[in-house]
Amino acid sequence: MTAGLTTAQLTEKHQPTLDQALATIRSRGYWSPYPEHPKAYGADGVPGSLGAEEGHAAFEALRGKRFELDQPGTDGWTATESSPYGLELDIEYPHADVDVLLAAQRAAMPAWRDAGPRARAAVCLEILARINARTHEFAHAVMHTSGQAFMMAFQAGGPHAQDRGLEAVAYAYAAQTEAAPPEAEWVKPQGKREPLELRKAFTTVPRGIGLVIGCNTFPTWNGFPGLFASLATGNAVLVKPHPRAVLPLALTVRIAREVLRDAGFAPDLVALAAERQDEGIAKTLAVRPEIRVIDYTGSTAFGDWLETNARQAQVFTEKAGVNTVVVDSTDDYKGMLSNLAFSLSLYSGQMCTTPQNLLVPREGIATDAGHKSYDEVVADLAGAVEKLLGDDARANALLGAIVNDQVSARIDAAAQLGEVALASRTVANPDFPGATVRTPVIVKLDGAKPDAEAAYLSECFGPVAFAVAVDSTEAAVGLLRRTVREKGAMTVGAYTTSPEAERLIEEACLEECAQLSLNLTGGVYVNQTAAFSDYHGSGGNPAANAVLCDSAFVAPRFRTVEVRRPVAPAAQA
């Protein structure tokens, strides 16, 4: 796109994509406009996109330099990132005087509000299109801030994150356009008297400035929904990235500002608030009166603090939970073990959707390979993980790197909590010798022993799984209910061939409001969700108060204001 392209031209360009997104959030089928294969980008792929070598070169060109944004209120520079792979980044970002920056953002909002939902959606889709063209560059940025392996960083940090952003735009557009027509004629008969006539105008107005508080592990995948939901509904957006994962969101802000400027809007509608080491500006920003929407992914403690203290804002949180799998029976024992092994290993378990507790009846389970005792199930699962990760090259491609020292400490501490069925091992990464790569640890616990509760009823973020022996499937469902109700869960999985057990598990998830995956044995895993079709979180248990993405995620970000005018006598004539 060239500078000065009008919103009408943008609308024409992106309307087919928006129309398909609107249709897909209703059909809940599979669709994505953003290719997820690396070879789809470059000279012979997505028009104008960077290929693998160009994307890597673009990332390398960012290292050791200042990341210019030309946003108001810059009062210094800050660098806080350190690649989990040991690569030196040394990128400095502008540090903002928030009084100046927030004032500039507020000043930019009236014109953005007046542009209307269709124009805003078109601009948002242009931002996403330009981000998509630079997916290879984003992949390296995500990899070297989150610790994801390259292919996961490419897909989850690229097209899958872009899908989530587009999904939010589609929901936002639908919510605004379905709220009220732009104008209406109101005529009320008065019998023999002249009717009462009014002209009414309805405008969707934003709440204020949206604050996106980014996370370390999935900066784009978790950041894009709130950013684009707020922007599409007329709000300015201030992005406060995690200090260890600034680059992916800084690139996003830079691209958004370029598109806004090219489309004739103030670029300050989107700005970056990078913080100095240990500055802790999230708490300061969260209670500013200008901040009216907050999107947060991270710890339960800070999420609870936001919900309690940021009273002036609509707060959307994704916090922590204890994800559970109930193992009752299976007609594909090998497939179940393979599926669970992959789910436990992907990105070293550093996902809010990774299973933690595996509830297995102590008397064992029925399978297509015969009856398997609790000990056999756990041993066979450990063997499946060892087989999956036995080759170091494959292990590195699946595990990525441990994102921080706290995760490493939890892996080591888990071995003291019970009998270790599978010990974690360190994997060398020849390409990045400074990376810390660890395989999962599986610990056996007796669910009937009170001293085991402290372990399995606490989130242990990282590649740590507890195989919890329970008295029966009914006992497993009871523990599942308690876990979701008290601790929350982003995901629940279950394996059963029994219609009655399936009914009990499904009823528990419906009543406790948890997303359930049943009998996954193939290429779909409990810790993966697809935009436009799957709901990420439920908003109905302590793990999160919001869903990515539904109408409730976008509707509170705007209000409809009505202006009524009587029809002038001349007009009546």
Side-chain angles (χ1 to χ4, degrees):
M1 180 182 127
T2 57
L5 196 60
T6 66
T7 53
Q9 291 170 307
L10 281 177
T11 298
E12 182 179 1
K13 176 182 178 181
H14 294 295
Q15 193 65 44
T17 302
L18 179 60
D19 288 342
Q20 185 59 58
L22 290 166
T24 309
I25 61 174
R26 296 184 179 99
S27 71
R28 313 305 296 182
Y30 170 77
W31 173 73
S32 172
Y34 308 120
E36 64 177 13
H37 197 288
K39 292 183 178 179
Y41 298 87
D44 298 325
V46 174
S49 63
L50 301 181
E53 292 184 3
E54 296 170 301
H56 184 255
F59 165 73
E60 288 292 333
L62 297 169
R63 294 172 58 198
K65 296 187 177 72
R66 284 186 169 178
F67 193 97
E68 300 284 351
L69 280 175
D70 189 30
Q71 61 183 31
T74 297
D75 60 9
W77 296 84
T78 179
T80 55
E81 292 166 308
S82 178
S83 169
Y85 287 93
L87 197 70
E88 295 293 333
L89 298 178
D90 294 327
I91 303 171
E92 289 190 311
Y93 301 95
H95 183 274
D97 179 334
V98 294
D99 290 330
V100 175
L101 190 55
L102 290 173
Q105 292 202 281
R106 284 173 60 88
M109 288 178 60
W112 185 239
R113 174 202 66 207
D114 294 343
R118 187 177 296 273
R120 291 195 293 267
V123 171
C124 287
L125 264 62
E126 177 65 20
I127 295 170
L128 284 164
R130 293 198 195 181
I131 290 172
N132 176 250
R134 294 168 64 176
T135 293
H136 271 286
E137 180 182 3
F138 270 82
H140 290 285
V142 171
M143 174 181 178
H144 286 289
T145 53
S146 73
Q148 294 176 30
F150 177 78
M151 185 55 72
M152 184 174 186
F154 184 93
Q155 293 183 337
H160 298 172
Q162 296 151 21
D163 282 340
R164 283 296 184 190
L166 175 57
E167 178 186 44
V169 174
Y171 271 104
Y173 179 79
Q176 292 172 96
T177 54
E178 292 168 3
E183 296 180 339
E185 295 287 338
W186 185 85
V187 180
K188 181 178 181 180
Q190 296 293 299
K192 295 181 179 180
R193 293 175 293 167
E194 291 295 319
L196 300 176
E197 296 186 48
L198 294 174
R199 286 200 182 103
K200 302 182 180 184
F202 302 95
T203 303
T204 56
V205 300
R207 289 182 66 98
I209 297 173
L211 174 65
V212 174
I213 303 175
C215 68
N216 193 176
T217 49
F218 288 90
T220 54
W221 199 97
N222 280 108
F224 281 8
L227 191 162
F228 284 99
S230 284
L231 194 62
T233 49
N235 303 276
V237 180
L238 182 60
V239 178
K240 204 297 293 182
H242 192 284
R244 290 195 295 266
V246 183
L247 183 57
L249 291 178
L251 285 168
T252 302
V253 169
R254 176 183 277 178
I255 293 169
R257 291 175 66 85
E258 290 171 354
V259 172
L260 288 162
R261 184 182 290 110
D262 289 347
F265 297 100
D268 297 327
L269 285 163
V270 180
L272 186 76
E275 62 185 307
R276 299 187 176 101
Q277 192 67 45
D278 300 322
E279 185 178 3
I281 62 171
K283 279 192 173 183
T284 301
L285 290 170
V287 295
R288 294 274 307 214
E290 302 96 329
I291 300 298
R292 302 302 303 278
V293 180
I294 297 175
D295 289 277
Y296 168 76
T297 300
S299 72
T300 297
F302 190 58
D304 290 344
W305 185 93
L306 288 170
E307 292 170 1
T308 301
N309 293 281
R311 306 301 295 273
Q312 85 292 348
Q314 177 73 45
V315 178
F316 299 93
T317 60
E318 181 192 312
K319 299 176 286 189
V322 177
N323 301 318
T324 300
V325 177
V326 175
V327 183
D328 168 75
S329 54
T330 180
D331 57 8
D332 184 358
Y333 187 60
K334 183 178 179 181
M336 179 189 78
L337 295 174
S338 176
N339 193 279
L340 285 173
F342 188 95
S343 297
L344 297 176
S345 303
L346 184 62
Y347 184 31
S348 301
Q350 297 170 125
M351 305 172 68
C352 63
T353 50
T354 300
Q356 174 180 301
N357 292 346
L358 311 175
L359 310 185
V360 184
R362 65 180 75 254
E363 298 302 321
I365 65 171
T367 81
D368 59 315
H371 184 272
K372 298 291 181 179
S373 69
Y374 163 82
D375 288 333
E376 287 176 313
V377 172
V378 179
D380 290 344
L381 177 59
V385 174
E386 287 182 312
K387 180 180 179 181
L388 176 68
L389 304 177
D391 177 75
D392 282 1
R394 180 179 176 86
N396 276 302
L398 285 175
L399 295 169
I402 298 299
V403 72
N404 58 50
D405 292 340
Q406 288 80 9
V407 175
S408 295
R410 282 192 286 271
I411 298 171
D412 295 334
Q416 311 303 316
L417 299 175
E419 180 185 345
V420 175
L422 176 65
S424 174
R425 71 180 181 92
T426 298
V427 181
N429 187 321
D431 296 322
F432 300 100
T436 299
V437 184
R438 300 284 299 272
T439 63
V441 57
I442 300 177
V443 177
K444 297 168 72 173
L445 296 174
D446 189 336
K449 294 183 177 180
D451 59 353
E453 284 192 7
Y456 65 71
L457 284 182
S458 298
E459 186 195 30
C460 197
F461 184 76
V464 178
F466 298 116
V468 183
V470 293
D471 290 337
S472 64
T473 296
E474 290 76 14
V477 174
L479 180 53
L480 168 66
R481 282 182 178 274
R482 180 186 172 195
T483 303
V484 177
R485 185 182 302 127
E486 295 181 6
K487 302 298 181 178
M490 295 298 293
T491 59
V492 172
Y495 291 90
T496 183
T497 58
S498 163
E500 176 60 18
E502 182 174 325
R503 185 191 67 78
L504 290 173
I505 296 164
E506 184 173 357
E507 186 66 20
C509 289
L510 290 172
E511 291 185 2
E512 304 302 335
C513 208
Q515 310 293 13
L516 171 64
S517 296
L518 283 164
N519 297 320
L520 298 182
T521 57
V524 177
Y525 304 94
V526 68
N527 43 353
Q528 297 174 321
T529 58
F532 309 109
S533 184
D534 293 323
Y535 291 118
H536 179 71
S538 71
N541 68 65
N545 75 356
V547 180
L548 304 182
C549 184
D550 64 359
S551 57
F553 185 69
V554 298
R557 298 170 193 264
F558 71 92
R559 290 293 181 261
T560 302
V561 173
E562 173 186 2
V563 177
R564 303 188 295 178
R565 295 181 176 88
V567 177
Q572 294 180 24

